[in-house]
Every structure is written in structure tokens, then in C-alpha cells.
Amino acid sequence: MGLELYLDLLSQPCRALYIFARSNNIPFEFKRVQLVKGQHKTEEFRKVNVLMKVPALKDGSFTLAESIAILLYLVQKFKTPDHWYPSDLQKRARVDEYLSWQHANIRMKGSKLFLSKVLLPLLTGQPLPPEKLEFATEELNVTLTQFEEKFLQDKPFIAGSEISLADLVAVVELMQPVCAGYDLFEERPKLKEWRRRVEEAVGKQLFQEAHEEIMDVKNLTADQFAPELLENFKQQLLKQN
């Protein structure tokens, strides 16, 4: 049995894995798990990941959850080029530093704006009050400034002159609010140029392919959600906002 990746490309970490595997010619079977249809809650998927979240990996009888762990597993199993996760101690530390920081910062703030602009209005039928949307946008912009000043600085990529896992994990997260209609790159030329370099490094066509579904997210309708998930998801979003 070959490598299987369980993914939904609406998910940022799933897109990072998809782009990484494809750009490194890693052979895998793409197992699509549609979150809005509740396919991650099935007993069949639970056998792959008891946490019932995507992404998930299955390699023979071995299963693995959590996107960063999966990326590192693929790096080592397939001996991908060194720049992805450098052998140089300090460059690797820069990658680890960003991967440790991003969960509660770029990921959290970008996801909050995406949920506020797209999913909450979709599921409740009401737009988020302007002041709350403005607050979520301001929070994200504070984090973007930290990203530029601390992690990107004046370097082509986070770890130096070549792309790493840190850049890939970062860019898919930043695309989430972009796909919700907030172009965070527009007034940030340094960030815009960094995105261009990341796209070129992985291949523009592959980058666009991975983002096709999320770019079309505004056409998602409430009736596409599994009924058993709809109310629960709505209540969770309302609590967060």
C-alpha cells in the first residue's frame, strides 16, 4: 500500500501538504475528505485519524496527524532538497521558530477574519457588525507587521535565500483572508514580492491549482453543509465572535 494523504483543499494546512508533495514529486494517493459534508466525522475516517481532523497521512499501516508532523515526515522519508528544512542548525532554527509562532498568530488571526467575512454571514444570514470586522482586520494587520519585521525582514525567504517549509506554511495561511475578499498584500509591497517568490519557487500553476476551491468559497451555500454540522458550527462561530 502506498502513501495516502487525506485532504480538503479548503484547509490551509492541507494545501501546504498538497503543494509540498506535488512540488517534490512525492507519489501519493489524494484521499479527499470534504469537511462541509462531515466526511471527517465518519467511522471510516476515524480509523485513519481518531482526532477526526484533516490533514492525515497513512503510509502502509502507519498513520499520522498534524500538518507540521506530516511535513517533517515527508521531508525525512523522501529526502527532499535541504532548503525545505535546512541541515544548517541556525537556518533550521529559523524555520522551527516560525512554525512554533504561527499557530497562535498568523493562523489564528487569518482564520478569524476568514470566518468572520465568509462563514459566519453564510451560516447565520447576517453580516458581522462592522466594528467587529474592523477589529479582526486590525488584529491581523498587527500580526502581519510582526511577520514582516521579525521573520521576513529584508530576506527573500524566512530562512534566507531559499524557500523553506516556513514560507509554504505562511503563504497558505495568508491566502485564506485573501480568498475571503481582503487583499492583505495590496498595501504591503514587501509581502507581495515575497508571495511572488514563493509562488515561483513551487510553480505558479500548482499554486493556483491548490487554491482553486478556496478562491471559489464565496459561492458556498449553507445547504451544502451536512445538517448535523450546521447548527454546531454556527454556535461555535458565534462564540468566537
Side-chain angles (χ1 to χ4, degrees):
M1 247 181 141
L3 182 73
E4 298 173 351
L5 293 179
Y6 292 76
L7 310 171
D8 184 335
L9 297 184
L10 291 179
S11 153
Q12 306 94 299
C14 288
R15 293 198 300 273
L17 274 168
Y18 181 82
I19 292 170
F20 180 74
R22 288 284 311 277
S23 65
N24 284 284
N25 297 310
I26 294 172
F28 71 97
E29 185 176 350
F30 181 4
K31 296 282 193 177
R32 191 179 185 201
V33 181
Q34 292 182 277
L35 297 176
V36 298
K37 293 186 176 179
Q39 292 176 353
H40 58 303
K41 298 290 187 181
T42 64
E43 279 304 310
E44 182 183 359
F45 182 67
R46 197 174 187 277
K47 293 173 185 175
V48 178
N49 185 5
V50 71
L51 301 176
M52 294 186 285
K53 293 181 177 180
V54 290
L57 170 148
K58 187 174 183 184
D59 190 6
S61 60
F62 177 74
T63 58
L64 189 63
E66 298 300 321
S67 59
I68 302 302
I70 296 171
L71 283 167
L72 294 177
Y73 178 83
L74 296 178
V75 163
Q76 294 170 79
K77 179 179 173 71
F78 293 96
K79 296 179 173 55
T80 55
D82 187 73
H83 62 81
W84 286 109
Y85 195 56
S87 53
D88 178 89
L89 178 63
Q90 293 185 355
K91 287 183 179 179
R92 177 173 288 197
R94 285 285 172 236
V95 175
D96 289 337
E97 180 183 41
Y98 177 77
L99 295 178
S100 300
W101 176 82
Q102 59 96 23
H103 295 283
N105 294 279
I106 292 286
R107 177 162 176 72
M108 183 183 290
K109 303 302 190 295
S111 294
K112 183 177 180 180
L113 186 59
F114 173 80
L115 295 172
S116 299
K117 283 182 70 68
V118 176
L119 288 190
L120 191 63
L122 172 68
L123 298 179
T124 64
Q126 299 290 330
L128 194 70
E131 64 274 12
K132 287 194 173 184
L133 194 57
E134 185 178 342
F135 180 70
T137 305
E138 286 175 1
E139 277 191 319
L140 175 59
N141 274 293
V142 168
T143 306
L144 292 175
T145 298
Q146 291 173 342
F147 175 70
E148 287 185 310
E149 292 179 353
K150 162 65 180 167
F151 294 97
L152 196 54
Q153 300 175 3
D154 292 318
K155 300 171 292 184
F157 298 99
I158 292 171
S161 60
E162 293 183 282
I163 190 172
S164 71
L165 293 180
D167 300 283
L168 184 53
V169 169
V171 78
V172 294
E173 293 292 348
L174 295 184
M175 288 302 295
Q176 206 77 354
V178 169
C179 295
Y182 178 64
D183 189 354
L184 55 87
F185 296 104
E186 189 175 8
E187 295 182 4
R188 292 181 178 270
K190 182 189 291 188
L191 214 55
K192 188 174 183 179
E193 279 301 298
W194 165 79
R195 173 190 165 180
R196 180 189 59 77
R197 290 191 292 270
V198 173
E199 282 191 38
E200 287 181 352
V202 300
K204 286 188 176 182
Q205 187 174 342
L206 173 58
F207 189 86
Q208 289 170 0
E209 176 190 317
H211 286 86
E212 276 178 10
E213 285 186 61
I214 193 66
M215 289 295 286
D216 197 40
V217 74
K218 289 185 177 179
N219 291 323
L220 197 63
T221 56
D223 59 10
Q224 291 176 268
F225 284 76
E228 63 272 19
L229 292 180
L230 198 58
E231 188 59 32
N232 183 45
F233 197 20
K234 186 191 299 184
Q235 292 307 317
Q236 286 181 347
L237 286 174
L238 287 170
K239 282 180 186 177
Q240 290 175 21
N241 288 278

